[in-house]
């Protein structure tokens, strides 16, 4: 609990067995009430490792994608009664040690969402971020800030915190099941008038850390530009997109079953 708010950490996982324990060991359990992992049909023993660590875990019936994984994460966190939900990748690329700072920005009511920026501290390249990714990050962030009239230092970090109100309001089921989900979600957060705070976060690139390849990075980059353009067209009233529509499907909308509960306290 933090400021009387229940804090839940969610981890969208895929082949994260090698780094899961190290990541969980840095989660500050004095303020984090639950850790919830969703496995996107990994090929390693991520689920077994999660159960050993006592994590609440859910398994997709097939590899649905990173965006769908987050939809499951946030849906289950809301069912647990979370007031603040923080997404941490279990590949140890981002340190969980700054969870208190992120959680406090949201739990205090000063912000509705918070992102951990790799750019604010100026150490992204020293942390091993490939040069082409850094350049693309800077270009896409500049373009998106102009197109959606925001001032974030980056939109591409996978380390975020959201209030319950944000998660219940955004029509997240209208978003992509792929990597561009992240960007669509931040664009939605801006579109619906929620306040986004930022904290500086070091990052680490190493062999076990997940990272999309060049071709998928290009696809993601094009998706970011498309999202920004659709945001602007919707604002101008020239087009209408379901993921910017208040009546779009959200996390509380009914969905067919596509995953199972593999938590340690659930009979298998």
């Amino acid at each position: 609990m933090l400021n009387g708010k229940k804090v839940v950490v969610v981890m969208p996982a895929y082949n994260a067995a090698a780094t899961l324990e190290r990541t969980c060991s840095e989660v500050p359990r004095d303020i984090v009430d639950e850790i919830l992992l969703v496995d996107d049909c990994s090929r390693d023993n991520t689920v077994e490792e999660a159960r050993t660590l006592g994590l609440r875990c859910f398994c997709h019936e097939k590899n649905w994608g990173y965006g769908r994984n987050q939809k499951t994460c946030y849906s289950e966190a809301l069912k647990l009664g979370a007031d603040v939900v923080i997404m941490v990748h279990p590949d140890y690329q981002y340190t969980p040690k700054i969870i208190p700072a992120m959680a406090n920005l949201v739990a205090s009511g000063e912000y509705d969402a918070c992102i951990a920026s790799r750019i604010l501290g100026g150490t992204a390249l020293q942390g091993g971020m490939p040069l082409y990714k850094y350049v693309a990050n800077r270009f896409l962030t500049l373009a998106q800030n102009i197109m959606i009239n925001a001032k974030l230092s980056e939109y591409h970090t996978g380390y975020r915190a959201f209030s319950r109100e944000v998660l219940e309001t955004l029509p997240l089921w209208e978003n992509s099941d792929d990597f561009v989900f992240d960007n669509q979600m931040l664009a939605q957060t801006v579109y619906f008038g929620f306040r986004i705070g930022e904290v500086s976060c070091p990052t680490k690139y190493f062999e076990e850390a997940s990272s999309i390849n060049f071709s998928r990075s290009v696809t993601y980059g094009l998706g970011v530009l498309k999202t920004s353009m659709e945001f602007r067209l919707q604002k101008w009233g020239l087009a209408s997109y379901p993921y910017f529509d208040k009546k779009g499907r959200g996390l509380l909308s009914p969905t067919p079953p596509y995953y199972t509960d593999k938590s340690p306290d659930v009979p298998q």
Side-chain angles (χ1 to χ4, degrees):
M1 285 279 185
L2 184 64
N3 294 339
K5 304 289 181 65
K6 184 173 184 177
V7 179
V8 175
V9 165
V10 298
M11 296 184 177
Y14 181 67
N15 294 339
T19 54
L20 182 57
E21 183 176 9
R22 188 168 19 162
T23 304
C24 289
S25 69
E26 291 189 3
V27 175
R29 298 309 299 264
D30 56 328
I31 68 165
V32 172
D33 298 280
E34 298 255 14
I35 302 176
L36 183 159
L37 178 141
V38 176
D39 181 73
D40 198 29
C41 204
S42 292
R43 293 171 295 179
D44 65 2
N45 63 329
T46 294
V47 175
E48 290 77 8
E49 182 69 15
R51 287 173 57 83
T52 298
L53 293 171
L55 306 187
R56 189 179 297 270
C57 51
F58 301 86
C59 298
H60 284 178
E61 62 186 20
K62 67 176 184 178
N63 184 242
W64 284 101
Y66 175 60
R68 177 70 71 94
N69 197 318
Q70 286 190 64
K71 295 173 187 179
T72 308
C73 282
Y74 298 137
S75 295
E76 289 298 330
L78 290 180
K79 292 178 185 178
L80 287 175
D83 298 301
V84 179
V85 180
I86 303 175
M87 178 177 72
V88 180
H89 290 179
D91 62 357
Y92 200 62
Q93 191 175 63
Y94 304 97
T95 175
K97 292 179 180 179
I98 64 171
I99 284 175
M102 299 179 69
N104 191 60
L105 285 183
V106 178
S108 67
E110 294 298 322
Y111 292 95
D112 306 298
C114 177
I115 61 171
S117 171
R118 300 163 295 178
I119 303 302
L120 281 178
T123 60
L125 290 174
Q126 292 93 315
M129 180 184 285
L131 180 61
Y132 82 89
K133 289 195 174 186
Y134 179 81
V135 172
N137 184 307
R138 301 290 72 232
F139 167 74
L140 290 172
T141 296
L142 174 62
Q144 193 154 35
N145 274 334
I146 293 172
M147 295 175 76
I148 75 172
N149 193 29
K151 293 183 179 180
L152 296 181
S153 65
E154 75 158 317
Y155 291 80
H156 318 296
T157 173
Y159 198 176
R160 295 116 176 272
F162 297 100
S163 69
R164 184 178 188 89
E165 183 184 3
V166 171
L167 296 177
E168 290 183 336
T169 301
L170 302 186
L172 293 177
W173 267 101
E174 303 293 354
N175 291 12
S176 169
D177 284 340
D178 208 346
F179 288 103
V180 78
F181 173 96
D182 265 354
N183 197 258
Q184 291 174 330
M185 189 174 186
L186 285 185
Q188 289 171 312
T189 304
V190 174
Y191 185 87
F192 288 103
F194 290 112
R195 301 158 299 171
I196 304 175
E198 297 185 78
V199 298
S200 177
C201 176
T203 187
K204 302 177 284 292
Y205 282 77
F206 54 97
E207 186 176 352
E208 291 88 357
S210 61
S211 182
I212 59 177
N213 58 32
F214 180 77
S215 63
R216 298 204 74 180
S217 294
V218 171
T219 300
Y220 169 79
L222 294 174
V224 169
L225 296 176
K226 180 173 180 287
T227 298
S228 303
M229 180 57 69
E230 290 175 346
F231 178 105
R232 183 49 47 201
L233 291 173
Q234 180 102 5
K235 279 289 188 182
W236 284 338
L238 299 177
S240 180
Y241 302 96
Y243 70 106
F244 290 127
D245 187 342
K246 286 185 177 180
K247 297 180 180 179
R249 293 174 301 152
L251 295 178
L252 302 181
S253 303
T255 57
Y258 62 91
Y259 62 93
T260 55
D261 190 339
K262 294 288 186 178
S263 302
D265 55 348
V266 175
Q268 303 299 313

